[in-house]
Amino acid sequence: MLDSGGRIFSGGTHLMADGTSETSPVPAVARAGAILSALAEASGRPLTVSDLARQLGLPKSSTANLCLALEGERLIARVESGFQLGRRLVELGGAYLATMDQIQEFYAACRRQPNISRQTARVAVLDGLDVLYLARYDGTQPLRLTANIGDRFPAHCTATGKALMAMLDPRALDERLRGRQRLVALTDRSITDPAALRAELETVRERGYAVDDEETTPGVTCLALAVSGFRTDSDPFALSVTSVSSSLDDVLRAKLLAELRDVASSLSNPLLAADA
């Protein structure tokens, strides 16, 4: 879009009529940033090279070259009708989120727990029918075969995903599952029937926490609970703790769940964390 001075404005960057930035000493970087901003503002709608060139006032040939370079770095992804943001941005975003104060408090809260501090714990959010992992705490006995920061997994296979899906309004859940006759299986214990998933989510709501009973990785069990958000204006997220199934008896399960609730409380109320 144009500002009052006839300059192109996109995502905080002013571009002159020839596509260069007023402030950037490296015009190609400014142009690449403008392309990423334009794709972000498109909210998932693919944009063609012509769309981007026209919207940003850039030459079509240089726009095409920039898109090829961004695609090569997985910062954008080619779809049939154009380009969308790429998965590499999620990975970079996960690395950035690991530096945020709330994420640091998650790590600190995990270290304070006598049992979780020996396990693997994570923070995840729901994105469509996937969960996206924002943070991972590795205790003194970490499990290496579990999701890392920036990874996506089918929500119905994971404890974090089921905890978050259980919070959805039934109509929102129906919309996400629309047209799904069968869900993907990661192990032979994964839920694949949408009706069975709905029944499982009802159990999660009644029980107050979700379980991944070797549905993502054989021999590994995960417990999770959903939290409203780091702040009142943020999306719900889920906290999980993962353990080897053979060592997760009823006593350890109860301890881990109690500690998960303590971590959730410290993240929901910063005053509790400050007093810890």
Side-chain angles (χ1 to χ4, degrees):
M1 59 185 296
L2 298 178
D3 67 8
S4 58
R7 297 164 296 186
I8 300 164
F9 182 81
S10 176
T13 300
H14 279 96
L15 299 179
M16 304 303 288
D18 63 354
T20 59
S21 170
E22 282 188 290
T23 58
S24 174
V26 187
V29 174
R31 294 178 180 184
I35 289 173
L36 293 174
S37 294
L39 292 174
E41 291 165 6
S43 301
R45 177 174 57 87
L47 297 180
T48 65
V49 169
S50 296
D51 292 334
L52 291 165
R54 182 171 55 255
Q55 180 175 332
L56 301 176
L58 298 174
K60 187 174 179 180
S61 59
S62 60
T63 302
N65 289 334
L66 285 168
C67 286
L68 286 174
L70 291 169
E71 182 185 15
E73 296 299 321
R74 297 187 296 120
L75 295 171
I76 66 176
R78 188 186 300 269
V79 294
E80 184 176 351
S81 57
F83 291 95
Q84 294 176 324
L85 295 178
R87 179 174 176 177
R88 178 63 178 155
L89 292 171
V90 177
E91 297 167 357
L92 294 173
Y96 167 73
L97 286 169
T99 68
M100 292 177 60
D101 289 345
Q102 294 100 334
I103 296 296
Q104 292 304 317
E105 173 52 32
F106 162 72
Y107 293 134
C110 288
R111 287 192 294 269
R112 291 194 293 266
Q113 306 302 324
N115 293 283
I116 287 180
S117 62
R118 297 196 293 269
Q119 309 289 342
T120 297
R122 285 162 298 182
V123 175
V125 293
L126 189 63
D127 184 11
L129 286 176
D130 291 337
V131 283
L132 173 65
Y133 289 96
L134 304 183
R136 169 176 165 146
Y137 170 84
D138 283 325
T140 56
Q141 300 173 12
L143 288 172
R144 299 298 178 187
L145 299 177
T146 56
N148 295 307
I149 295 173
D151 283 350
R152 288 176 179 270
F153 276 76
H156 66 277
C157 294
T158 68
T160 51
K162 287 190 281 188
L164 290 166
M165 293 175 80
M167 295 182 69
L168 292 174
D169 180 272
R171 289 172 295 182
L173 178 62
D174 289 342
E175 183 62 30
R176 297 192 190 209
L177 293 174
R178 186 184 304 278
R180 303 275 181 151
Q181 302 301 317
R182 182 177 173 83
L183 303 170
V184 66
L186 298 183
T187 74
D188 59 7
R189 303 190 69 160
S190 300
I191 296 174
T192 58
D193 180 8
L197 174 62
R198 288 185 173 89
E200 172 75 1
L201 296 180
E202 182 59 34
T203 299
V204 172
R205 285 187 282 269
E206 294 173 355
R207 190 171 51 200
Y209 66 92
V211 180
D212 163 5
D213 186 11
E214 303 187 21
E215 297 161 63
T216 301
T217 305
V220 174
T221 299
C222 185
L223 310 173
L225 52 86
V227 184
S228 296
F230 285 128
R231 309 176 307 273
T232 57
D233 61 339
S234 62
D235 291 332
F237 64 96
L239 300 174
S240 69
V241 60
T242 305
S243 177
V244 174
S245 300
S246 59
S247 66
L248 188 63
D249 57 20
D250 290 343
V251 173
L252 179 57
R253 178 185 294 248
K255 291 179 178 178
L256 291 175
L257 286 170
E259 291 178 12
L260 267 183
R261 294 185 179 103
D262 283 345
V263 174
S265 294
S266 69
L267 294 178
S268 299
N269 187 346
L271 294 177
L272 293 179
D275 293 338

